[in-house]
Each structure stands twice: as structure tokens, then as C-alpha cells.
Amino acid sequence: MFDAEQLPETGEGQAKPLNDLLQKIAASKGCETKAGPGKSGCGSTGTESTLPPEIWEKVKNHPCYSEQAHHHFARMHVAVAPACNIQCNYCNRKYDCANESRPGVVSERLTPEQAAKKVFAVASTIPQMTVLGIAGPGDPLANPEKTFKTFELVAQTAPDIKLCVSTNGLMLPKLIDRLCQYNIDHVTITINMVDPEVGAKIYPWIFYEHKRYTGVEAARILSENQLRGLEMLTERGILCKINSVMIPGVNDAHLVEVNKAVKARGAFLHNIMPLISAPEHGTVFGLNGQRGPTAQELKALQDACEGDMNMMRHCRQCRADAVGLLGEDRSDEFTTEKVMAMEIDYDLEARKAYQAKVEAERDATQAAKADELAKLAGENSDIAIQIAVATKGNGRVNEHFGHATEFQIYEVSTAGAKFIGHRRVDLYCQGGFGDDDKLETVIRAINDCAAVFVARIGTCPKEGLHKAGIDPVDRFAHEYIEQSALAYFKEYLEKVQAGGIVHVARGDADIRQGAFTAV
Ligand code: CLF
Ligand code: SF4
């Protein structure tokens, strides 16, 4: 807990353009969602009880399509697709596709055969790895032979692994039949605009049907193919997620229109990601000083777009060769050299048995959350707080403060505990001692939170957090996150009601912008 006097001054509130934007978004609520095969009003927070059985079956073990699943199930990417057919102003082609990866990341490129062996190696070592995605380093559908060959090889040996692809959408209408042939039932399309005038500010050129197009014409062709491709996919019952990069002053207000357009075409999930932009990325936006959104600007847009189609908030902008749970990266354990030397035993039954245990753990997490929420029944308060959590996965508070490379953020109110995002941070612990500069960056990253839950924390960072008005809490070590957050919130409300503390809205927080070369 904290005293009101310890709190830093609250920011002056949201900038005017953002308020205008929110009004516009509120007006867009209730827009038509055309139902169709494979679609549902629920998204990444959907559960077994809220989703149709056939949709639940598709999302229950997919860490990107189900927020619950992302605490327990892993994905992997193989970097088999180097070429790209468009140019985005937030991308430097020296690095991985920035539509799914953070800028500045370079993945190890593989042939389809190497990729397939890597998939079997990872699946044998990490039985909770349920999804293979191809997301770069360029555009998978600009490299159809390599992409489809990889899927074909994997499907032959590992039929239990879900196949997933992420694309800029330019080639979708032309490749839709081949895509269906390979049983790919999750497709992500990055759609940043539905107005070519906006698109011209994001895409300087595209290469289509042996010809280079520029400006508004390029954006128009891209947009038409993206929306047509989305329609064709949903007509065929393929679950579609839309990624959009939020670029303040360029497409932030316009993403409302994008949200409406993709909802109307049956998209399952919308993932609005922050632009990550810094000069060292060498991108057009990085070099011209284009900023990314703050944490609260991003949240406000996600909240306002959240209607019939839920928003994905747990995306980690993974690298094109990522391996492991979202937020962790085990790709170093599976370099080509190591994989080629591995003896692989692909044991389907052992994988199924392990995954059944993981599902039981997930069900226990949900039951504990429901029990705790029942204790808040009858409380009548409009207070909501945010809590940052250090976790290694499994839905538990199980990471030390100093070892955390990210914090998961939950919003807690009488309505429940809801995952609303994550914040990447510099490691505080530098091998035996804490770094005060790093503590500053951690505090800026979670400055909108009232508390931080950790498995363990030292005296120095505790004091720093207290001074910043953030309550460091280690008494829920190894407990379930959401159950703990609700228990904390109940005590918080009781203290507010008893006059022990004064609830004050927190300020904004930073989304880290620098280049990432690690996870
Ligand atoms: Fe990969 Fe993308 Fe499939 Fe997931 S990632 S191709 S849908 S398996 Fe997931 Fe990573 Fe975000 Fe992508 S967290 S970048 S949304
Ligand atoms: Fe880069 Fe991906 Fe855009 Fe191609 S689609 S330019 S790889 S961000």
C-alpha cells in the first residue's frame, strides 16, 4: 500500500487529439459485425464457456489467439521467408519484418528442411509448444515456395502442431487456395489503413505483378488486396487476426476506421501494436523523429476499440525465429548447429499427456480467479488500479524483481482482473548488484501501476519503488497472478473505504523504444 503523499503528481491528462479520437471511437461502437464461419464476438479473452466449441478448439492452445493460453503454451517461428514485396516506413530490411517483430532484430535464416528439423527438435524438447508460425524475416507470402514447403514438411511428421502465418496481405487473394491446401487455420494480416491517402504516408512503394507502384496507387492496391484477402479467409472459416501499428499523428485516429472495416469482414482479433521507433533502427520513421505512443495512449485506443471483437494486448512483437512462451525466448538453445546435432524423438502421445497437465493447471488458475472474484460480489466502487507482475509463466507470480525483462500489467476493479499489456524493461540485477539507472527505467515503464508483484525483491529497489508511489509486494510469491491481484484489490478497497489510504489516479508510463537485439 502507499500513502497519497508519496505519490508523484498526476499528469495533466490526455492530449486533446487523443480525446477527440476517443469520442470518435465511442461513436463507432456497435458497428456491424458480420458473423460468418469461424467467427465469434469474443476474442483473446474468450473462454471455453464463452466461445463456440469449434472456435475454442482452435484457440485454446494458441498463445496469440487466447490470452489465457499465452501463460501456458508456447509458439515458435522459423525464419524461412527473407524477401518482401512492399516497403513500410517503420522497417529496415536489414532486420526482421517489423509487422510482427520488434525493429532491430535479426533472425537466423533457414531452409525449409532445416526449419522442419528445428520444429521437431523444439516440439520434442518443449511439449507445450503448440504452434508453428512463419512471420518473416520478410513476408511469408512473398516467399510462397519456402513457406508452404516448410508447412508441408511439418504437417507430415507433426500433425498436432497448429500452423500459423503472418503477412502484409498483398498476395493473399492470389495464394488463398494454396494456403487452405496446407491446413493453415490461423492467419495474421497487418492492416494499418483502409484509406490510401493515409497509406501513402506509411508505404512508399509496393512490388506487385512484376511492377513497382508508389504513393496513393500503391496503398490502394495493398489495401484492396488486404481487405479482399481477409474476406476470402473468413469465408473459408480461417481465424484471422489483424495487426495494426499505431503511429501517432499518422494513423492513430484512423485505426478506428480500420477496426470497423476488419470487424465487418469477420476478423477474430485486433492487435494494435505501438510503433517502436528510434534513430538507430535506420527506418524512415526512426530517422525523421516519428514518435511511438505512450502506454496510456495505446491503452486508450485499445479500450475504445474493444467491442464485439476483442483486442489482443499480449503481443510481444516476436522475432522471426522466436521459440518459447511469449515474453521468453529460447532460440539460443536451438541454433542450426545445435539442432542438426540433436537426436530427435517426436513422441506425439507424450506431448498430448503433457499438454493435458498444462490444461489442468490453466483450469485451476481460472477456478482460483473465479473464487476470489466472488469475494468482491456486492462491492460497489468505480476504482480501478493497475498492477505490474514479474512472472516466468504458468500464470504465477514467480520472477524476482531484478531478473524481470518485462512486467505483465493487469487492470483490477470490481469487474475482475484483466491483462492489459506488458512492459519491457532493462534488467535491474547486474550480476550481484542493482543498477540505479535501470531502476529509473523500470519505474518509468510501470509508472501507471499502484503496485508491483514479485517473487522476491531487495531493500534498495523496494525503497525506490516506494518513493515513486508504487507498492512492492512479495507476499504473493508463486501464487496465481489474477487471484492475487483480486485479493490485493479487495484489501486496497477496504483501506480506501476506511480512510487509511487515498486513491489517486496514476500518471502515464513509457513504452521502451530502443533497438532490441535479444528476445
Ligand atoms: Fe507467430 Fe504471429 Fe502466429 Fe503468433 S506470433 S505468426 S500469431 S504464432 Fe503472437 Fe508474436 Fe504477437 Fe505475432 S505475440 S508477434 S501476435
Ligand atoms: Fe518490412 Fe514486414 Fe513491411 Fe516488408 S511487410 S517492409 S518486411 S515490416
Side-chain angles (χ1 to χ4, degrees):
M1 299 296 163
F2 56 84
D3 296 326
E5 281 162 17
Q6 289 180 321
L7 289 170
E9 285 182 10
T10 309
E12 287 183 21
Q14 286 151 343
K16 191 163 181 307
L18 191 61
N19 286 334
D20 293 347
L21 164 66
L22 297 184
Q23 280 175 11
K24 216 174 150 190
I25 296 166
S28 85
K29 285 259 187 178
C31 70
E32 72 284 22
T33 301
K34 191 179 75 181
K39 293 175 291 295
S40 152
C42 304
S44 68
T45 54
T47 63
E48 189 167 10
S49 57
T50 60
L51 291 173
E54 70 279 11
I55 304 288
W56 173 245
E57 211 38 54
K58 283 188 180 186
V59 304
K60 67 176 186 182
N61 296 349
H62 195 308
C64 304
Y65 282 69
S66 161
E67 191 276 310
Q68 275 183 28
H70 105 276
H71 298 285
H72 305 279
F73 292 98
R75 53 75 184 101
M76 72 175 291
H77 288 167
V78 285
V80 293
C84 191
N85 44 13
I86 69 172
Q87 178 63 54
C88 306
N89 277 336
Y90 46 72
C91 179
N92 177 346
R93 294 298 302 115
K94 279 198 313 199
Y95 306 118
D96 288 0
C97 176
N99 284 339
E100 284 255 319
S101 319
R102 293 181 301 284
V105 168
V106 183
S107 295
E108 190 185 17
R109 296 173 191 199
L110 303 175
T111 65
E113 290 73 20
Q114 288 171 324
K117 180 151 192 215
K118 181 172 176 178
V119 174
F120 306 141
V122 172
S124 307
T125 314
I126 309 177
Q128 67 273 44
M129 193 283 282
T130 48
V131 178
L132 164 66
I134 299 184
D139 186 75
L141 299 187
N143 305 261
E145 299 315 321
K146 291 177 177 145
T147 297
F148 292 132
K149 181 71 187 170
T150 304
F151 284 140
E152 184 188 344
L153 292 173
V154 171
Q156 281 166 4
T157 306
D160 63 320
I161 293 179
K162 288 186 170 67
L163 304 179
C164 192
V165 70
S166 174
T167 175
N168 61 40
L170 182 64
M171 294 305 292
L172 259 178
K174 288 192 191 302
L175 291 172
I176 185 88
D177 290 335
R178 288 192 68 192
L179 226 131
C180 292
Q181 196 184 320
Y182 290 101
N183 272 338
I184 297 161
D185 58 5
H186 296 78
V187 174
T188 295
I189 315 171
T190 298
I191 302 183
N192 294 320
M193 52 87 203
V194 289
D195 175 351
E197 296 288 340
V198 176
K201 296 178 195 161
I202 303 170
Y203 305 104
W205 58 260
I206 66 165
F207 193 78
Y208 184 62
E209 294 184 331
H210 314 291
K211 195 172 161 198
R212 190 179 166 102
Y213 296 85
T214 58
V216 173
E217 191 183 15
R220 182 185 54 75
I221 296 168
L222 178 62
S223 178
E224 283 172 4
N225 281 331
Q226 289 174 333
L227 296 179
R228 179 83 193 104
L230 172 60
E231 284 170 358
M232 294 168 96
L233 287 165
T234 58
E235 276 162 13
R236 287 161 174 77
I238 294 174
L239 279 195
C240 292
K241 171 168 75 63
I242 305 304
N243 283 0
S244 300
V245 180
M246 180 181 181
I247 311 163
V250 175
N251 73 344
D252 48 353
H254 179 63
L255 286 180
V256 181
E257 302 304 321
V258 171
N259 182 262
K260 286 167 72 170
V262 301
K263 254 186 208 175
R265 288 167 177 79
F268 179 72
L269 200 57
H270 195 183
N271 174 23
I272 298 182
M273 310 183 292
L275 173 74
I276 295 176
S277 178
E280 68 263 31
H281 302 151
T283 62
V284 170
F285 284 152
L287 293 171
N288 74 12
Q290 171 64 53
R291 75 172 180 92
T294 67
Q296 290 302 308
E297 284 172 340
L298 177 66
K299 178 178 183 294
L301 179 57
Q302 291 171 331
D303 284 353
C305 284
E306 193 164 53
D308 294 336
M309 180 178 62
N310 275 359
M311 308 301 294
M312 178 181 188
R313 298 167 190 258
H314 58 282
C315 177
R316 302 304 201 278
Q317 294 173 261
C318 316
R319 43 191 299 157
D321 60 2
V323 174
L325 293 173
L326 303 189
E328 74 170 1
D329 190 56
R330 298 178 58 179
S331 50
D332 280 355
E333 294 171 43
F334 300 96
T335 59
T336 307
E337 199 185 344
K338 288 178 186 165
V339 165
M340 292 306 144
M342 282 168 90
E343 292 281 323
I344 296 164
D345 172 21
Y346 194 83
D347 186 339
L348 188 55
E349 290 312 312
R351 279 175 51 78
K352 279 187 188 159
Y354 190 91
Q355 287 173 22
K357 277 192 207 159
V358 176
E359 282 188 30
E361 170 79 354
R362 176 178 61 190
D363 293 347
T365 313
Q366 293 307 308
K369 175 182 167 181
D371 285 351
E372 201 62 48
L373 186 58
K375 296 179 192 164
L376 276 168
E379 290 285 357
N380 189 13
S381 167
D382 56 6
I383 289 178
I385 59 170
Q386 288 180 197
I387 295 172
V389 181
T391 175
K392 288 192 272 204
N394 297 326
R396 292 179 187 266
V397 182
N398 54 8
E399 181 63 287
H400 293 201
F401 179 83
H403 297 166
T405 54
E406 70 163 34
F407 288 89
Q408 297 190 356
I409 311 295
Y410 286 78
E411 184 174 68
V412 200
S413 68
T414 52
K418 176 177 164 190
F419 180 98
I420 58 159
H422 64 93
R423 309 279 162 73
R424 284 187 174 273
V425 294
D426 295 322
L427 262 189
Y428 171 70
C429 178
Q430 301 291 314
F433 66 93
D435 182 330
D436 286 345
D437 291 343
K438 301 285 189 293
L439 182 60
E440 280 303 308
T441 65
V442 175
I443 288 172
R444 282 203 298 275
I446 61 170
N447 184 51
D448 49 356
C449 296
V452 56
F453 288 6
V454 296
R456 214 168 149 189
I457 185 167
T459 312
C460 287
K462 247 186 189 175
E463 282 172 7
L465 287 160
H466 266 304
K467 268 193 206 143
I470 301 168
D471 185 17
V473 180
D474 55 8
R475 68 196 152 90
F476 297 115
H478 304 288
E479 302 291 334
Y480 291 133
I481 295 170
E482 289 167 307
Q483 180 186 29
S484 306
L486 288 163
Y488 179 90
F489 180 69
K490 186 166 185 297
E491 291 168 20
Y492 183 94
L493 268 191
E494 286 164 1
K495 290 198 178 173
V496 171
Q497 284 157 0
I501 54 170
V502 177
H503 172 70
V504 180
R506 302 279 307 165
D508 207 339
D510 286 350
I511 293 174
R512 187 179 148 162
Q513 294 294 311
F516 294 101
T517 51
V519 290

